């Protein structure tokens, strides 16, 4: 299939066995970040010839491996984390050598690290699969597990267990493999938060559940299709205070909740007494069986869990921390509780201290969602459901068996309304993943789309019940439009499954397209068979998985298509070939004409595909994905020549009656005729104008005219003469009225049932789109009409239609916000800035005092009104004059709206309902932080369009007040909210993050100079994570990659920060920065200073080669990579800092792989090894001193000077007093030049010879020497013999045995044992030499 990674190693090798059960015992030491454990794996052989057992295991130290309680002598363990560094001084040009060492881990199916060879004497015996004993044992085991979870066993459970027994009954004797392990350096699989000095978060631990993350904690068969039952026990300290007792004395004090206490006398850091008394709670997958305190050590406790439903190791997770508990079942309605009965699922919520109120507000719909899924799609696959919120998580949610780990970033209080829709959908999807994603898994990577699509489809069905049909169809329409824009030159969703490990955008694309594909499939099935559509099919799939029809709970695309065909009574091979196995989306051009003679509507539909996909310009956000796809030979999916299928056409004829016609699209060009049904003439436009005017003044109509009035149910505001004159509205001309009176139908709606993901262009007059906007009740139809209006040229009539849509509160808020955004194009000087006037007038009408531009106090109790209040400033901020600048009235409006914003009266009462009674009535004030952030962004966008920052630049302005003080006041207002956020922090520091984005926009536009200090202060560890990420993003956006200090700091944080969330976003920022440089946005030519507006600019035509190179880097991946390599190849700081990040002991294998990908883009590989040898230091005698040795014999001391510590050589007394020492030869190479003269690798690997220093002394004189002087100790000699700063140190040595010279005098040879750099001598005062 086109689009797959062409990797022959992607096919997994048969292991010859499976795992039926695993027991794991873990002991956590959170302070020292260590894990000790023991595991027992029950292995079921598939053949009697099994000789080797291969398991996954990383970063563990293994001890006492046993097979059936017998020690294993032949086993090997190859930890990949021991190979993450090269054993010599390497650099970025040797990245390929590190890739070769880790090649087995970067494959699609990595090699197993732990290999156990079975003893030759070990025999595997074959069992009778139909014997009673093994089946009874397994059936009893599964039935007991379900009884423990549910309290009873149903008929379906019995059928399920029977099928599991038949499938998993052992044909051969099971093997029990046991091993002890410890994890001392944890780099993946487990995250410790709050246990380091300066970390202000509550201390807790949780599993990361990344790909193959389970094998980083304990040995297992870490594959999604290796599912077994689990018994897990976790031993932890009972409280935080008990955990701190194991702290070493050198650990500095910690900080919790801002409380910082000095170290006590016992050396242990002090938390507050409140924090020390917090109990540590274990939340784990499965059901808790018991929790006991260690009788030998009361400060420790053990929590045990059991998961009787077979799941993969990556679906086992746990969290340990001082969590507070909330029973979310309290928010379940009483009637739902009675309706569910015994099928009611317990729902438990856990969060860090002091966030219970946010937990209740965030998880309010979870109980309702789990009841809806249980009644609609079948029983819950586990015994209970737990949700726990922790810090520093990379994804927002991680799905494990009966347990969802979620990020604390998702929690929001009652006064925040912006996060409501997004977070609710994420939490409901995490719950839906328990049915499909954990209980049901994809059989192959290409089947991933089905699992993701079904989970999001049932999530959206619940959101439809929760938020309404209009919101549901509106979101589906927006998703379909995004698919049309993004599904260009990409693989199909079927082929994207194996690519999700390449880049996060691959998974995001599947999550976007797959549920919409199932949505249009549901629409077609519901129309074809008249059934309930896809919901019934999904329910049957869940039931088949429960009773065991799905082998190992794995679903395939073929099985899903077969089930849809069987229950939907339709052939779907063509549909799946186009939307699942194929890529791209169709585009239609529709023409229509009414034939009065035949009373037929003649229509033609021409289908075309995206023919200019190869000329799409590269985007910096997608640069890394394009590079990875190019490296792994990922190609775009086959473009469908023709998309076929039924299309519903709805013609609203003259009497207002809609007639539906279904047309089968089979070819690229389809021409057909549709019968016209209305026998009456269309009503005259003048008649309708009178009715519309009467409706505007609320007059009553007779029964004969009731049907006509209903035609104008929407958009009939601002109809009076005074309102038309006051709002500067215009009506249709006489010619338009006459032309409309000749039309035989109101409008034609293509794809009325939303069965296509496409872009539709219909050649209808504008008044037909107006009729569709005003009379069609479907939100999608209204939105399509507004989108058509947005594409028209500026005209007073278009502005009138849009402002009436905006002002009519009966429209859905999404249609009104789209109308507000479309009015931006109508704000042009050619029509007197009519669109801008309408936007300002609408804002004053809704949110200001009567006849005054002063805004009223905010009132966010109506969410639809809040969306309009944020949409209008966004639209005004995009208004530009012919020179591309925001007019002064735009900047003034945004400035005054921001300055005079009032949130004092924005209060609301919130009542949290319990099962039997009500909680206390809570009064809260809605936070306006997101609204202020929107106004700040709008003001920055408008101010940045006018880069003038001097008095001269404002001298020619005609607008009064548009001067430099006003300009500075705008900048000061943005900075004021940044400073305010430091004293009164907003939700997630949204104001500071927005202020940094505004400052970046000002700097890029040349409005203000860059101030590094303002940005760097937010990159510290004490700041909120999103704020740090925003600060680093602003730095890179401003081109600070060329600042060596900032670049070094950026890569240091990327490689050493303890938060994986920070590291992940730093990688993304780095990728966007490289993409910006690659396509020329951040190049040296692009970042040149902007000339003054009045200065003379001389444009010179560039050469053809330069234009071609610039075009290549913007449209071709290879050209962009070549330009990027040329621009950064000379940056020495980047080379050093990037390689230091690669070799960091903090990063996991995936992060190392990402950095190695960047090295491959930037640098050319060089197969070389740089070896540094330190040469010996040559010495010369500077002074001779008389003295005595330890025995009292006379001796002399030679002071040898060198560029290091002094050497004291004690020589025998026969050395003459005034004998000169022969000079030593100078070294061939100086020390500082040793790197430049490094020898080839094969020569340097030879063992070096030990250099010898020979000092030959003449024969002693015949007369004895005079009485020796008192011997000075080495310390005094060192102080007394400093000569011109030359350092020296002494060590007393005994001479080696003497050999006679040719003249008969003895030879003295001193052998200095050198350790590469110099002699192995102790420094002065160190005692006896080595």
């Amino acid at each position: 299939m086109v689009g797959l990674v062409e990797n022959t190693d992607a096919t997994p090798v048969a292991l010859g066995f499976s795992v039926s059960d695993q027991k794991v015992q873990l002991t956590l030491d959170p302070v020292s970040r260590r894990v000790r454990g023991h595991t027992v794996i029950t292995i079921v052989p598939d053949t009697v010839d099994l000789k080797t057992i291969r398991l996954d295991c990383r970063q563990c130290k293994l001890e006492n491996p046993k097979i059936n309680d017998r020690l294993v002598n032949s086993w090997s363990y190859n930890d990949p984390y021991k190979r993450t560094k090269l054993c010599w001084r390497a650099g970025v040009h040797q990245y390929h050598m590190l890739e070769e060492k880790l090649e087995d881990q970067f494959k699609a199916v990595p090699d197993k690290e732990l290999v156990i060879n079975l003893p030759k004497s070990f025999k595997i015996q074959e069992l009778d699969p139909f014997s009673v004993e093994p089946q009874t044992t397994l059936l009893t085991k599964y039935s007991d597990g379900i009884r423990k979870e549910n309290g009873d066993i149903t008929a379906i459970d019995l059928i399920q267990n029977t099928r599991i027994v038949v499938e998993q009954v052992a044909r051969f004797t099971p093997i029990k493999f046991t091993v002890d392990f410890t994890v001392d350096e944890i780099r993946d699989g487990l995250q410790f938060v709050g246990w380091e000095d300066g970390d202000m978060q509550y201390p807790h631990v949780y599993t990361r559940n990344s790909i193959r993350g389970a094998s980083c904690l304990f040995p297992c068969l870490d594959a999604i299709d290796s599912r077994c039952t689990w018994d897990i026990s976790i031993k932890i300290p009972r409280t935080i205070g008990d955990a701190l007792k194991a702290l070493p004395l050198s650990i500095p004090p910690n900080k919790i909740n801002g409380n910082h206490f000095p170290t006590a006398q016992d050396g242990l850091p002090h938390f507050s007494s409140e924090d020390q008394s917090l109990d540590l709670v274990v939340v784990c997958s499965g059901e808790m069986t018991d929790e006991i305190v260690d009788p030998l050590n009361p400060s420790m406790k053990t929590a045990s869990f059991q998961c009787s439903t077979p799941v993969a190791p990556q679906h086992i997770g746990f969290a340990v921390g001082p969590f507070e508990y909330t029973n979310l079942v309290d928010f379940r309605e009483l009637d739902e509780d009675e309706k569910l009965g015994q099928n009611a699922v317990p729902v438990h919520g856990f969060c860090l201290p002091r966030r219970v109120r946010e937990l209740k507000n965030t998880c309010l719909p979870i109980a309702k969602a789990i009841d809806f899924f249980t009644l609609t799609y079948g029983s819950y696959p586990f015994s209970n459901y737990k949700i726990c919120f922790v810090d520093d998580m990379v994804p927002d949610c991680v799905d494990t068996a009966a347990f969802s780990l979620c990020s604390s970033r998702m929690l929001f209080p009652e006064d925040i309304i912006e996060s409501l829709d997004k977070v609710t959908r994420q939490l409901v999807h995490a719950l839906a993943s328990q049915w499909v994603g954990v209980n049901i898994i994809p059989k192959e990577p290409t089947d991933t789309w089905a699992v993701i699509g079904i989970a999001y489809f049932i999530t959206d069905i619940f959101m439809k019940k929760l938020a309404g049909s209009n919101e549901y169809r509106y979101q589906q329409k927006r998703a379909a439009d995004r698919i049309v824009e993004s599904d260009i030159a990409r693989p199909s969703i079927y082929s994207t499954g194996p690519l999700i490990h390449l880049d996060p955008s691959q998974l995001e694309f599947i999550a976007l397209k797959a549920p919409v594909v199932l949505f249009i499939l549901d629409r077609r099935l519901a129309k074809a068979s008249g059934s309930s559509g896809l919901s019934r099919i999904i329910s049957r799939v869940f039931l088949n998985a429960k009773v065991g029809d799905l082998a190992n709970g794995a679903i395939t695309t073929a099985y899903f298509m077969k089930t849809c065909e069987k229950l939907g009574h339709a052939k779907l091979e063509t549909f799946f070939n186009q939307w699942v196995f194929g890529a791209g989306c169709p585009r239609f051009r529709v023409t229509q004409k009414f034939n009065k003679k035949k009373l037929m509507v003649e229509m033609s539909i021409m289908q075309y595909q995206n023919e200019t996909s190869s000329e799409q310009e590269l985007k910096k956000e997608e640069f890394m994905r394009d590079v990875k796809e190019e490296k792994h030979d990922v190609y775009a999916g086959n473009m469908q020549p023709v998309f076929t299928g039924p299309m519903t056409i709805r013609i609203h004829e003259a009497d207002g009656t809609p007639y539906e016609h279904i047309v089968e699209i089979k070819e690229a060009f389809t021409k057909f005729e549709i019968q016209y049904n209305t026998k009456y003439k269309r009503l005259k436009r003048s008649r309708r104008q009178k009715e519309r005017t009467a409706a505007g003044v609320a007059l009553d109509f007779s029964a004969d005219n009731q049907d006509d009035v209903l035609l104008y149910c929407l958009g009939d505001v601002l109809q009076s003469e005074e309102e038309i004159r006051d709002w500067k509205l215009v009506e249709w001309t006489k010619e338009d009225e006459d032309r409309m009176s000749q039309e035989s139908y109101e409008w034609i709606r293509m794809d009325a049932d939303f069965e296509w993901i496409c872009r539709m262009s219909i050649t209808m007059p504008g008044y037909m789109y107006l009729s569709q906007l005003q009379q069609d009740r479907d939100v999608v139809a209204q939105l399509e009409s507004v989108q058509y209006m947005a594409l028209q040229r500026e005209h007073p009539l278009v502005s009138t239609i849009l402002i009436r849509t905006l002002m009519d509160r009966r429209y859905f808020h999404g249609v009104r916000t789209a109308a507000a955004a479309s009015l931006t194009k109508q704000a042009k000087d050619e029509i007197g800035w009519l669109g801008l006037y309408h936007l300002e007038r609408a804002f004053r009408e809704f949110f200001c005092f009567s006849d005054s531009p002063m805004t009223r106090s905010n009132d966010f109790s109506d969410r639809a009104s809040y969306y309009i209040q944020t949409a209008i400033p966004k639209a005004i901020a995009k208004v530009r004059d012919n020179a591309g600048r925001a007019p002064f009235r735009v900047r003034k409006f945004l400035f005054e709206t921001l300055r005079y914003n009032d949130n004092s009266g924005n209060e609301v009462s919130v009542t949290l309902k319990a099962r039997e009674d009500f909680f206390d009535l809570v009064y809260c004030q809605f936070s306006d932080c997101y609204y202020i952030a929107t106004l700040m962004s709008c003001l920055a966008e408008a101010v940045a369009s006018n880069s003038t920052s001097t008095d001269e630049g404002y001298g020619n302005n005609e607008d009064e007040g548009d001067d430099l003080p006003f300009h500075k006041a705008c900048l000061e207002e943005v900075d004021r909210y940044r400073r305010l956020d430091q004293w009164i922090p907003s939700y997630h520091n949204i104001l500071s993050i927005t202020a940094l984005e505004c400052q970046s926009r000002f700097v890029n536009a040349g409005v203000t100079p860059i101030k590094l200090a303002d940005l760097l202060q937010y990159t510290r560890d004490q700041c909120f994570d999103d704020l740090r990420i925003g600060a680093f993003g602003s730095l890179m956006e401003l081109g600070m990659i060329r600042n060596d200090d900032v670049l070094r700091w950026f890569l240091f944080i990327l490689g050493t920060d303890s938060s994986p969330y920070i590291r992940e976003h730093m990688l993304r920022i780095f990728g966007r920065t490289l993409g910006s440089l690659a396509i020329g946005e951040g190049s040296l030519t692009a970042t040149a200073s902007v000339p003054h507006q009045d200065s003379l600019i001389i444009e010179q035509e560039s050469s053809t080669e330069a234009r071609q190179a610039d075009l290549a880097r913007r449209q071709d991946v290879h050209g962009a990579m070549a330009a990027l390599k040329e621009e950064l190849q000379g940056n020495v700081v980047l080379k050093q800092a990037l390689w230091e990040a690669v070799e960091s002991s903090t990063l996991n294998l995936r992060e190392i792989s990402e950095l190695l990908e960047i090295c491959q883009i930037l640098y050319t590989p060089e197969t070389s090894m740089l070896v540094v040898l330190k040469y010996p230091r040559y010495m010369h005698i500077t002074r001779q001193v008389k003295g005595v040795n330890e025995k009292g014999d006379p001796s002399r001391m030679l002071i040898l000077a060198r560029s290091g510590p002094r050497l004291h050589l004690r020589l025998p007394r026969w050395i003459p007093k005034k004998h000169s020492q022969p000079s030593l030869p100078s070294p061939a190479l100086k020390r500082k030049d040793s790197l430049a003269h490094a020898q080839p690798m094969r020569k340097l690997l030879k063992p070096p010879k030990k250099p010898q220093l020979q000092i030959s002394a003449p024969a002693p004189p015949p007369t004895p020497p005079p009485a020796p002087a008192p011997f000075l100790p080495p310390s005094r000699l060192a102080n007394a013999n400093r000569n011109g700063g030359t350092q020296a140190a002494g060590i007393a040595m005994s001479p080696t045995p003497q050999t006679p010279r040719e003249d008969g005098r003895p030879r003295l040879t001193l052998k200095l044992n050198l350790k590469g750099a110099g002699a192995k001598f102790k420094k002065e005062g160190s005692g006896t030499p080595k």
Side-chain angles (χ1 to χ4, degrees), residues 177-192:
F177 171 71
T178 62
V179 65
D180 299 327
F181 57 89
T182 59
V183 185
D184 296 330
E185 298 179 1
I186 297 179
R187 300 171 66 172
D188 196 5
L190 202 64
Q191 179 65 24
F192 294 86

Side-chain angles (χ1 to χ4, degrees), residues 27-47:
T27 301
L28 300 183
D29 187 357
V31 177
S32 61
R33 304 167 66 93
R34 296 177 70 250
V35 177
R36 291 185 291 108
H38 174 80
T39 184
V40 180
I41 305 176
T42 302
I43 297 173
V44 180
D46 295 336
T47 175

Side-chain angles (χ1 to χ4, degrees), residues 176-441:
K176 286 193 175 181
F177 171 71
T178 62
V179 65
D180 299 327
F181 57 89
T182 59
V183 185
D184 296 330
E185 298 179 1
I186 297 179
R187 300 171 66 172
D188 196 5
L190 202 64
Q191 179 65 24
F192 294 86
V193 181
W195 299 99
E196 295 181 352
D197 176 41
D199 196 341
M200 304 292 292
Q201 303 170 94
Y202 278 100
H204 57 285
V205 186
Y206 60 90
T207 54
R208 295 186 58 185
N209 293 90
S210 57
I211 299 178
R212 302 192 74 198
S215 59
C216 296
L217 295 181
F218 49 83
C220 61
L221 191 57
D222 201 356
I224 192 173
D225 57 349
S226 176
R227 294 153 63 92
C228 65
T229 57
W230 295 83
D231 289 314
I232 304 170
S233 63
I234 302 174
K235 188 175 182 180
I236 60 169
R238 193 172 53 85
T239 63
I240 293 179
D242 294 333
L244 296 175
K245 292 179 181 179
L247 271 175
L249 301 183
S250 59
I251 299 297
N254 205 333
K255 297 178 182 178
I256 296 293
N257 303 332
N259 300 327
H260 186 201
F261 296 90
T263 304
Q265 295 179 358
D266 55 2
L268 296 179
H270 266 186
F271 290 68
S272 65
S273 58
E274 177 186 356
D275 293 329
Q276 289 191 27
S277 62
L278 292 175
D279 290 332
L280 293 179
V281 180
V282 181
V283 188
C284 183
S285 300
E287 183 184 13
M288 176 180 286
T289 57
D290 58 12
E291 184 178 12
I292 58 175
V293 178
D294 191 347
L296 300 179
N297 186 4
S299 64
M300 304 291 291
K301 65 179 179 179
T302 302
S304 300
F305 299 84
Q306 184 182 34
C307 185
S308 301
T309 304
V311 294
Q314 70 182 56
H315 292 146
I316 296 295
F318 63 86
V320 178
F323 300 119
E324 295 186 1
Y325 168 73
T326 297
N327 188 3
L328 298 178
V329 178
D330 294 339
F331 300 99
R332 177 177 288 154
E333 300 290 342
L334 289 177
D335 56 345
E336 294 290 339
D337 208 359
E338 296 175 356
K339 185 187 302 183
L340 291 170
Q342 294 182 354
N343 292 327
V345 181
V347 184
H348 310 290
F350 299 88
C351 66
L352 293 172
R354 303 182 183 180
R355 306 200 70 175
V356 174
R357 185 171 174 178
E358 297 180 14
L359 172 65
K360 293 179 180 179
N361 181 72
T362 305
C363 299
L364 186 64
I366 296 300
K368 188 178 183 65
I370 199 170
D371 296 341
F372 173 79
F373 290 150
T374 302
L375 294 174
T376 308
Y377 301 107
S379 61
Y380 182 65
F382 304 100
S383 61
N384 55 46
Y385 179 65
K386 300 176 288 292
I387 184 170
C388 182
F389 293 87
V390 295
D391 293 337
D392 286 351
M393 277 191 61
V394 177
D396 289 332
C397 294
V398 171
D399 305 316
T400 66
F403 177 38
S404 293
L405 267 171
C406 301
S407 173
S408 296
R409 299 183 301 271
M410 302 176 65
L411 295 174
F412 62 94
E414 299 89 349
D415 59 343
I416 299 295
I417 61 177
E418 288 80 2
S419 305
L420 182 60
D421 295 331
K422 178 182 177 182
V423 172
T424 301
R425 186 172 186 263
Q426 288 177 324
L427 293 179
V428 174
H429 174 261
L431 175 62
S433 299
Q434 299 295 318
W435 275 268
V436 54
V438 177
N439 186 49
I440 298 178
I441 60 173

Side-chain angles (χ1 to χ4, degrees), residues 60-123:
C60 298
K61 296 180 180 179
L62 305 180
E63 297 177 354
N64 304 324
K66 296 180 181 180
I67 294 290
N68 291 348
D69 297 330
R70 295 172 55 186
L71 285 174
V72 179
N73 297 324
S74 177
W75 62 284
S76 63
Y77 172 50
N78 186 13
D79 185 6
Y81 282 100
K82 300 297 183 183
R83 295 176 277 140
T84 55
K85 287 186 180 181
L86 298 177
C87 57
W88 63 87
R89 183 181 296 181
V92 290
H93 292 283
Q94 285 76 46
Y95 70 88
H96 63 293
M97 305 176 74
L98 184 56
E99 282 183 338
E100 292 175 359
K101 295 182 64 177
L102 300 173
E103 182 180 7
D104 59 331
Q105 299 297 318
F106 294 158
K107 296 188 298 185
V109 182
D111 296 341
K112 308 298 181 184
E113 296 85 10
L114 178 59
V115 179
I116 303 100
N117 298 319
L118 298 180
K120 295 182 179 180
S121 60
F122 186 83
K123 301 298 182 181

